[in-house]
Amino acid sequence: MKVLALAFPGFTFIDLAGPMQAFMMLPGFSSQIVWHSKGIVDSDAGVSVQATEDFGSCWKDPDILFVPGNSIHLFKQLQDDRTIDFIADVGSRAKWITSVCNGSLLLGAAGLLKGYKAASYWYTREHLSLFGAIPTDARYVIDRNRATGGGMTAGIDFGLAMVGQLAGEPVGRVAELAFEYAPQPPFGTGRPELADPATLAKTTEIVKQIMPVQELEGVRARRSTMGSSRGRPSVAALPIKVSSSFIRARRRVSNASWLVPQTVSTRNSLAFSSNS
Amino acid sequence: MKVLALAFPGFTFIDLAGPMQAFMMLPGFSSQIVWHSKGIVDSDAGVSVQATEDFGSCWKDPDILFVPGNSIHLFKQLQDDRTIDFIADVGSRAKWITSVCNGSLLLGAAGLLKGYKAASYWYTREHLSLFGAIPTDARYVIDRNRATGGGMTAGIDFGLAMVGQLAGEPVGRVAELAFEYAPQPPFGTGRPELADPATLAKTTEIVKQIMPVQELEGVRARRSTMGSSRGRPSVAALPIKVSSSFIRARRRVSNASWLVPQTVSTRNSLAFSSNS
């Protein structure tokens, strides 16, 4: 089972970790971590991983293509046609096309979710429809050979479900016990409809700053003028266009803190503390 | 908030990812990943991380010391007094001493859990008492400045709880929504008491092979003859002793597959498939 996982700079660490920990249990598991170039790639959580391959050297026909998400760093990738073309190209041959969190926006921009039900991060979910996907309010969605997880921690549910899908339910059941996956969220606020109004308002305020969804229409328009790139990537066909609102948003956000706008010092206070 | 995380070869990837993703949200977050030597360290899940520091160069007084777990690779560290002495030394000054999964066995071997309630992986939990800890059947335990998570995925619950503890509950509530932590385990088998008998029997059979708990009494005896190393590490005071049963166990387990004994090919079948 050849798993090819994209790791772009600033990707959300747990988005990668949940699925990989599960995929590792599949028969004949092997993996490649891929980026524009081989070497160290920083995640958003103070840990860097090794990209073992670049876009030219990696498997062209993996069993599983996996794409993680992030806030501002994901939106940066949505402006990078080399990344999107790469996903479209490998996605045209991969047996399974998968993502966690708003990584599904990258799959969508690559034209891989047209007519498919898909999950995403709660704040970005509805925007999947821009790319022809059917946004689905589920912890994970498996629609034919597209499998997408919801926000961040949904990667564990998604990964275990994929183990059950690919290796059989008895193996999935063993994997879940091996993972000791009997979660007890400490606060009970893990979805917008579960959160108290203050938590929802504060979180939405922060996320809104670092996930510039207003740029997605531009991504859709740009990709649609490029025609289909599936199977034949038009690498760097267009110069990377970075909107001014994206640049403003990026200035507010440090690499390590996807939730902490830079307008507030991250040294001694949290932007989302109770009294801010 | 200086977070020093140990990453030993073969560590369980999700053990590190859950807590780091949460710690990242703490005010003034910065991190170091440490091992015997700087450079690439393989996890157990097909992803390698970068150790940014070695035992000599890292912070001596982090706010948080964090130790992940694993199966056979964790038990290998329990035979390595350089690792245990390092944990004991940093642990003598760290503000918080923390672990996930059976990383608590390393904290215990380092003498850091005497008289403290602590959590661990379900299969290794009771053995914490060998090191003077009080094994606790909880998703995570915070006892004074010791904070320990249960098995693997408990690192998310543990990490979010620590955000609430260190930054205040309102921030913890925001973090949980930001994480979209509203889990839905696909199989409902995530604890021994939840699992059906066949799942429990199969998982126990596998875990028993790769977590040689019978070696823990030897670890305790060896460490107790060394005297207290807290605050003054006796690096390499004793040659590393590797028992023959450990070597046998290691031969059975590949680096990438902590659940798949090597006696069965991982290429085309799973050791724990329903008909094996």
Side-chain angles (χ1 to χ4, degrees), chain B residues 69 92 95 103 115 151:
Chain B
S92 71
K95 289 195 184 70

Side-chain angles (χ1 to χ4, degrees), chain B residues 38-108:
Chain B
K38 297 179 189 178
I40 299 301
V41 179
D42 295 341
S43 78
D44 70 337
V47 184
S48 301
V49 303
Q50 184 186 32
T52 58
E53 307 295 332
D54 60 35
F55 286 177
S57 70
C58 71
W59 291 318
K60 299 298 177 287
D61 58 348
D63 295 299
I64 297 174
L65 169 66
F66 173 75
V67 176
N70 186 253
S71 54
I72 202 64
H73 302 290
L74 183 284
F75 280 82
K76 182 174 179 184
Q77 293 310 314
L78 287 167
Q79 304 289 353
D80 185 342
D81 288 312
R82 276 187 64 199
T83 301
I84 299 174
D85 287 340
F86 171 77
I87 293 169
D89 180 49
V90 176
S92 71
R93 288 178 302 274
K95 289 195 184 70
W96 285 88
I97 294 163
T98 72
S99 66
V100 159
C101 202
N102 53 19
S104 53
L105 290 175
L106 273 173
L107 297 185

Side-chain angles (χ1 to χ4, degrees), chain A residues 14 21 24-25 28 31 46 121-122 139 153 157 171 173 176 178-180 184 187-189 256 258-259 266 272, chain B residues 14 21 24-25 28 31 46 121-122 139 153 157 171 173 176 178-180 184 187-189 256 258-259 266 272:
Chain A
I14 193 85
Q21 198 73 51
M24 174 270 272
M25 300 179 69
S31 65
Y121 191 65
W122 60 266
R139 192 74 178 154
T153 54
D157 308 66
V171 179
R173 298 174 76 83
E176 192 169 296
F179 274 39
E180 201 168 322
Q184 295 177 22
F187 305 109
T189 57
W258 76 269
L259 270 174
T266 60
F272 45 86
Chain B
I14 194 83
Q21 198 72 49
M24 175 270 271
M25 301 181 68
S31 65
Y121 190 66
W122 60 266
R139 192 75 178 153
T153 55
D157 309 65
V171 179
R173 297 173 77 83
E176 193 169 297
F179 274 39
E180 202 168 323
Q184 295 177 24
F187 304 109
T189 56
W258 77 267
L259 270 174
T266 60
F272 46 86

Side-chain angles (χ1 to χ4, degrees), chain B:
Chain B
M1 191 65 68
K2 295 184 293 185
V3 177
L4 180 67
L6 184 76
F8 55 83
F11 76 91
T12 296
F13 195 42
I14 194 83
D15 289 5
L16 180 71
M20 292 303 287
Q21 198 72 49
F23 293 155
M24 175 270 271
M25 301 181 68
L26 294 170
F29 168 81
S30 57
S31 65
Q32 293 183 342
I33 311 299
V34 65
W35 179 232
H36 283 203
S37 53
K38 297 179 189 178
I40 299 301
V41 179
D42 295 341
S43 78
D44 70 337
V47 184
S48 301
V49 303
Q50 184 186 32
T52 58
E53 307 295 332
D54 60 35
F55 286 177
S57 70
C58 71
W59 291 318
K60 299 298 177 287
D61 58 348
D63 295 299
I64 297 174
L65 169 66
F66 173 75
V67 176
N70 186 253
S71 54
I72 202 64
H73 302 290
L74 183 284
F75 280 82
K76 182 174 179 184
Q77 293 310 314
L78 287 167
Q79 304 289 353
D80 185 342
D81 288 312
R82 276 187 64 199
T83 301
I84 299 174
D85 287 340
F86 171 77
I87 293 169
D89 180 49
V90 176
S92 71
R93 288 178 302 274
K95 289 195 184 70
W96 285 88
I97 294 163
T98 72
S99 66
V100 159
C101 202
N102 53 19
S104 53
L105 290 175
L106 273 173
L107 297 185
L112 294 169
L113 292 181
K114 284 174 188 159
Y116 288 87
K117 291 181 187 172
S120 190
Y121 190 66
W122 60 266
Y123 184 74
T124 54
R125 187 191 305 133
E126 67 181 283
H127 301 279
L128 280 174
S129 58
L130 267 176
F131 303 109
I134 304 157
T136 305
D137 177 16
R139 192 75 178 153
Y140 57 87
V141 179
I142 300 178
D143 183 358
R144 287 156 284 172
N145 73 334
R146 269 62 166 175
T148 49
M152 293 178 64
T153 55
I156 297 170
D157 309 65
F158 157 85
L160 289 170
M162 285 293 283
V163 170
Q165 175 85 25
L166 295 171
E169 183 172 327
V171 179
R173 297 173 77 83
V174 166
E176 193 169 297
L177 177 53
F179 274 39
E180 202 168 323
Y181 194 41
Q184 295 177 24
F187 304 109
T189 56
R191 290 177 72 94
E193 59 272 29
L194 295 174
D196 56 280
T199 298
L200 179 58
K202 191 71 197 168
T203 313
T204 304
E205 176 192 330
I206 295 165
V207 173
K208 193 174 181 177
Q209 287 186 61
I210 59 180
M211 295 193 189
V213 291
Q214 68 278 6
E215 298 186 358
L216 291 172
E217 171 54 33
V219 173
R220 186 206 60 74
R222 189 186 82 246
R223 294 298 300 181
S224 66
T225 62
M226 294 172 69
S228 171
S229 60
R230 275 173 290 179
R232 184 172 294 277
S234 50
V235 172
L238 290 175
I240 296 171
K241 182 175 165 288
V242 180
S243 75
S244 58
S245 66
F246 166 72
I247 291 172
R248 281 197 303 276
R250 189 165 63 162
R251 283 202 189 114
R252 286 196 298 266
V253 181
S254 75
N255 184 54
S257 305
W258 77 267
L259 270 174
V260 186
Q262 283 289 50
T263 46
V264 176
S265 166
T266 60
R267 202 82 209 138
N268 297 307
S269 67
L270 270 177
F272 46 86
S273 67
S274 56
N275 56 358
S276 69

